[in-house]
Amino acid sequence: MSAGKPLLRVVRGNPSDAELAALTAVVAAASVAKAPEKPKPRTSWWGDRAALLRTPLHPGEGAWRASGLPQR
């Protein structure tokens, strides 16, 4: 931001000092507001504590092979 250019400009009306301060506070708060953090991607299946929990068994063709794969 340049030193010569104002951040806000009143186009119409005659706001009081309190109204300008409130508007400045809202604009400043909106400029530093963070977006919700995204969950970290899973780095390794080895460190997944959910893998320690037993998942339901599903009998059928190829079920024995699928039982050793990580579940999502």
Side-chain angles (χ1 to χ4, degrees):
M1 181 169 65
S2 65
K5 190 173 180 180
L7 177 63
L8 301 171
R9 184 171 59 113
V10 177
V11 178
R12 193 178 300 161
N14 191 12
S16 67
D17 289 340
E19 291 172 334
L20 284 176
L23 178 63
T24 304
V26 169
V27 170
S31 68
V32 297
K34 291 185 178 180
E37 292 186 19
K38 296 179 182 175
K40 285 177 40 177
R42 184 173 301 192
T43 56
S44 170
W45 286 102
W46 289 103
D48 186 13
R49 303 286 293 172
L52 298 175
L53 302 173
R54 182 177 174 158
T55 58
L57 301 175
H58 299 288
E61 186 177 345
W64 65 271
R65 188 177 301 124
S67 67
L69 299 175
Q71 302 294 317
R72 287 190 174 182

